[in-house]
Amino acid sequence: MAVERESDKKALKCLNFIEVKLRQIVFDEKEKFRQEFRDDFPGPWNEITQRFAEARKQIENDELDWHYVEGVSLTSSVLIWKRDLLRKAVGTKVPRRILDIVNSFLGSLSGAIPVLEFIKEYKDMVEACLKIVRSIE
């Protein structure tokens, strides 16, 4: 069990690339926001980075309800699958797809790490302020 837990903790470090991608969207991709919202971002970014740091610390120190995490399928092979989908979404450079997958991940994990709920709400606001781009893939 200890080896599996360490593996899960390592996989949950995907919070790092969620933070990096969210930062990229709000700082470097302002053109993707509707014009009326561009000056409103990055908004409370300092609070976001603090909460990411706190979440990572809670994971590292086992200060979360692992039974809950297991219950929402954020352990073992399912966690690896979700993490890999997230990585692939980040590679697409399509913000809405990335944010949809981030939403699912943060939604599940925020039950075990409540500080992530603030990040999820911020992500929701970012998503709501993006331009709608329709394309056929």
Side-chain angles (χ1 to χ4, degrees):
M1 185 70 169
V3 172
E4 293 168 352
R5 181 71 38 85
E6 287 305 312
S7 177
D8 291 340
K9 286 166 65 171
K10 186 176 179 181
L12 287 171
K13 290 185 178 182
C14 65
L15 284 175
N16 295 341
F17 59 82
I18 291 173
E19 181 178 8
V20 167
K21 187 57 187 175
L22 194 54
R23 184 187 194 294
Q24 180 184 356
I25 291 169
V26 299
F27 282 92
D28 302 334
E29 299 178 13
K30 293 261 189 172
E31 75 282 355
K32 294 181 179 177
F33 286 91
R34 293 179 53 87
Q35 181 66 39
E36 64 268 25
F37 298 118
R38 288 182 186 164
D39 293 337
D40 297 308
F41 287 94
W45 186 254
N46 289 336
E47 289 88 347
I48 294 298
T49 58
Q50 289 170 356
R51 288 194 172 75
F52 270 115
E54 188 174 336
R56 285 190 292 267
K57 181 180 174 189
Q58 287 181 18
I59 292 167
E60 192 58 39
N61 295 334
D62 285 321
E63 296 171 351
L64 66 153
D65 181 352
W66 281 104
H67 291 291
Y68 179 88
V69 174
E70 290 168 359
V72 294
S73 298
L74 280 177
T75 58
S76 63
S77 62
V78 178
L79 171 59
I80 301 303
W81 175 71
K82 290 177 179 182
R83 182 205 60 201
D84 291 347
L85 287 176
L86 180 59
R87 284 183 176 163
K88 286 180 182 178
V90 169
T92 67
K93 300 181 182 177
V94 178
R96 287 196 182 269
R97 182 170 304 124
I98 296 162
L99 296 174
D100 280 346
I101 292 175
V102 165
N103 189 55
S104 176
F105 189 84
L106 291 178
S108 295
L109 195 54
S110 66
I113 306 173
V115 298
L116 291 175
E117 186 60 35
F118 181 75
I119 296 170
K120 184 181 173 300
E121 289 179 15
Y122 178 83
K123 183 238 37 111
D124 289 345
M125 298 302 280
V126 168
E127 191 171 18
C129 295
L130 291 173
K131 293 179 189 176
I132 296 175
V133 178
R134 303 199 192 285
S135 64
I136 298 173
E137 295 184 75

